[in-house]
Amino acid sequence: DQQVKQNSPSLSVQEGRISILNCDYTNSMFDYFLWYKKYPAEGPTFLISISSIKDKNEDGRFTVFLNKSAKHLSLHIVPSQPGDSAVYFCAASARETSGSRLTFGEGTQLTVNP
Amino acid sequence: GAGVSQSPSNKVTEKGKDVELRCDPISGHTALYWYRQSLGQGLEFLIYFQGNSAPDKSGLPSDRFSAERTGGSVSTLTIQRTQQEDSAVYLCASSLLDPRLTDTQYFGPGTRLTVL
């Protein structure tokens, strides 16, 4: 049972344009969502998070949107830079019921072309 | 400051052998997590330690897997009688778990385990 799904295994965008990475979830108990970026041979690096009481959180070039009714979140990167090329993982936790353990999506490989 | 460290970075072992993987969390972090990433898969939760509470072992795939956290700091993940399907990158993370702050997990670089 895949509770967090990233349906696009890869995404390619031009430098300077917007990158939009999508994530869907099924568990209505999830109340905290995070995005991680991962380079090869490194551990995931935290990017940005959002609590279920919000619908948007912005940090520099990164913005996360949460649509609870659709059980959907997205990460917008604008403007995209070649250094953003990495695998992006969406993750969620249900802190009230399952503590802080994270459930991850399968990841999306983002390639930003110069 | 120092992040989460893991050792070894790579481990190749023969089927049936036992292996131990080590994690040093960020100093002061009360929570420690183990995940693994198999080839082409997302990260899979294994076990979670929070302070002095009993660990959440619900993600361990079999009784060949065990973990301990001594002194509330360093953790060791042990896999007994390794099988080829245990081959994966094993990732450790730690967090502060302060309810006033976001409990963001910070990951180490991982240990790549290959079982021949």
Side-chain angles (χ1 to χ4, degrees):
Chain A
D1 175 27
Q2 188 69 25
Q3 296 187 54
V4 177
K5 285 195 68 63
Q6 295 175 253
N7 290 314
S8 298
S10 63
L11 174 68
S12 183
V13 300
Q14 286 299 120
E15 181 177 6
R17 305 294 291 269
I18 185 171
S19 295
I20 300 177
L21 297 111
N22 294 302
C23 178
D24 297 291
Y25 62 96
T26 58
N27 187 344
S28 58
M29 299 304 293
F30 286 147
D31 58 4
Y32 189 58
F33 304 88
L34 309 89
W35 284 94
Y36 283 85
K37 177 170 74 172
K38 187 179 185 301
Y39 294 116
E42 294 184 12
T45 302
F46 169 73
L47 268 179
I48 191 168
S49 63
I50 188 167
S51 166
S52 60
I53 62 174
K54 296 186 174 181
D55 56 16
K56 177 183 175 181
N57 189 25
E58 188 173 356
D59 183 2
R61 297 185 297 114
F62 302 92
T63 303
V64 56
F65 295 92
L66 175 63
N67 183 333
K68 281 193 299 182
S69 61
K71 293 190 176 65
H72 177 83
L73 68 157
S74 60
L75 174 68
H76 292 207
I77 306 173
V78 57
S80 301
Q81 300 173 354
D84 295 330
S85 298
V87 177
Y88 288 77
F89 289 99
C90 167
S93 66
R95 289 177 296 181
E96 290 297 319
T97 56
S98 305
S100 295
R101 55 181 289 183
L102 293 176
T103 301
F104 284 85
E106 309 92 322
T108 297
Q109 172 70 58
L110 173 66
T111 302
V112 180
N113 301 303
Chain B
V4 178
S5 61
Q6 293 185 245
S7 60
S9 55
N10 279 285
K11 177 71 176 178
V12 180
T13 190
E14 293 179 349
K15 178 181 172 181
K17 302 279 191 181
D18 298 351
V19 296
E20 284 190 352
L21 312 179
R22 177 188 168 105
C23 171
D24 282 271
I26 293 172
S27 177
H29 278 193
T30 54
L32 186 147
Y33 313 78
W34 284 97
Y35 296 85
R36 73 175 176 182
Q37 184 180 17
S38 302
L39 189 63
Q41 305 291 319
L43 281 75
E44 171 192 7
F45 167 77
L46 296 177
I47 187 169
Y48 157 46
F49 296 90
Q50 178 188 346
N52 296 320
S53 302
D56 175 357
K57 304 180 182 180
S58 58
L60 295 178
S62 78
D63 57 9
R64 296 186 295 104
F65 288 72
S66 63
E68 60 179 24
R69 188 180 186 192
T70 53
S73 181
V74 172
S75 177
T76 302
L77 177 69
T78 301
I79 309 173
Q80 296 179 310
R81 305 180 303 281
T82 51
Q83 303 294 312
Q84 288 182 333
E85 61 262 28
D86 300 334
S87 297
V89 176
Y90 288 81
L91 290 152
C92 175
S94 69
S95 70
L96 195 54
L97 266 191
D98 185 332
R100 298 167 299 175
L101 305 171
T102 56
D103 48 358
T104 300
Q105 295 178 29
Y106 297 89
F107 284 81
T111 294
R112 179 174 296 278
L113 174 66
T114 303
V115 182
L116 301 177

